[in-house]
Amino acid sequence: MKIAKLTGLCTLLLASVGVSGVLQAAQVEVTWEEPKSYRDVKPSNESRTRFRERTFKELDEFFTELAEKLPEDQKLSITVTDLDLAGQVWPASFVGMGQSAADVRIIKEIDIPRMSFSYVLSDSDNTVLKSEDVKIKDMMFMNTVNRRLSNDNLVYEKNMIEDWFNDTFNDTFNDTLAKSVVSNH
């Protein structure tokens, strides 16, 4: 079993919303379990290993960015068990681009992004605050407002993850922001 881990501790400066001082974010640990068995983490123009590592690193960083909304004394542990990127990879010759061109990822509405994982949110005493096995998918991924730059290769996956995160932890980070604002006034 090959497991890749990233642990991050982020800092969020809330000066832009009128809060002075620095707020530490929750600690994040992402584990990619059995990544070779994932449904679709296929590159269009680079080695599978390099593409998989780059994709996981980018999603690790995104989970860390999202955790900036959680209290600093919490830890979010995520174990990813499957990933299916939006679209499908096809040989360039199949889509009329000739024999010499690299493979291409074709995005169609039918090829939705999906992800399966479990998570545990715990406090500084390792008390479990929330945990769940999760399967997310975005069947309307091509019809939603894009919240990211168009050159982001994982735009659909990040939008899907952010929607899940906001729905799951909304009460947690709203409480944190309220406490932070009250304690600084």
Side-chain angles (χ1 to χ4, degrees):
M1 173 170 64
K2 182 172 183 177
I3 297 177
K5 287 188 177 185
L6 172 75
T7 302
L9 191 58
C10 299
T11 303
L12 174 65
L13 182 60
L14 293 176
S16 63
V17 292
V19 179
S20 62
V22 175
L23 177 68
Q24 294 290 325
Q27 181 181 359
V28 179
E29 180 180 273
V30 180
T31 303
W32 300 90
E33 192 171 84
E34 300 286 342
K36 288 182 180 179
S37 68
Y38 290 0
R39 192 175 309 180
D40 175 22
V41 186
K42 296 180 182 110
S44 57
N45 60 1
E46 65 184 298
S47 80
R48 276 186 190 234
T49 302
R50 193 171 27 233
F51 178 76
R52 191 171 42 233
E53 288 170 358
R54 184 173 52 79
T55 299
F56 294 167
K57 181 177 186 269
E58 209 172 313
L59 292 176
D60 286 343
E61 290 169 355
F62 187 65
F63 276 115
T64 301
E65 178 185 320
L66 290 173
E68 292 175 354
K69 299 175 184 179
L70 297 173
E72 68 179 91
D73 65 336
Q74 293 183 354
K75 179 180 179 182
L76 179 60
S77 299
I78 299 169
T79 302
V80 180
T81 55
D82 195 16
L83 179 61
D84 185 354
L85 301 177
Q88 288 186 332
V89 175
W90 290 91
S93 60
F94 283 26
V95 293
M97 296 179 70
Q99 296 293 334
S100 61
D103 291 348
V104 292
R105 181 171 287 275
I106 304 293
I107 308 287
K108 292 193 249 176
E109 287 185 23
I110 195 166
D111 300 314
I112 64 174
R114 304 169 201 254
M115 190 173 193
S116 299
F117 58 94
S118 60
Y119 76 88
V120 175
L121 180 67
S122 54
D123 64 14
S124 58
D125 297 326
N126 288 325
T127 302
V128 174
L129 304 172
K130 286 186 176 189
S131 68
E132 187 177 13
D133 289 329
V134 178
K135 290 186 179 194
I136 57 175
K137 61 185 174 183
D138 187 354
M139 296 177 71
M140 299 296 292
F141 74 102
M142 292 186 79
N143 299 322
T144 53
V145 176
N146 185 3
R147 299 182 294 263
R148 295 189 165 55
L149 298 175
S150 60
N151 65 349
D152 186 337
N153 292 330
L154 298 171
V155 62
Y156 301 120
E157 293 76 13
K158 288 179 180 177
N159 286 342
M160 174 182 70
I161 292 167
E162 184 174 33
D163 288 344
W164 163 80
F165 186 90
N166 289 340
D167 290 346
T168 303
F169 300 112
N170 187 36
D171 57 334
T172 305
F173 53 76
N174 282 342
D175 290 347
T176 302
L177 184 58
K179 289 176 187 174
S180 171
V181 170
V182 169
S183 67
N184 286 306
H185 286 300

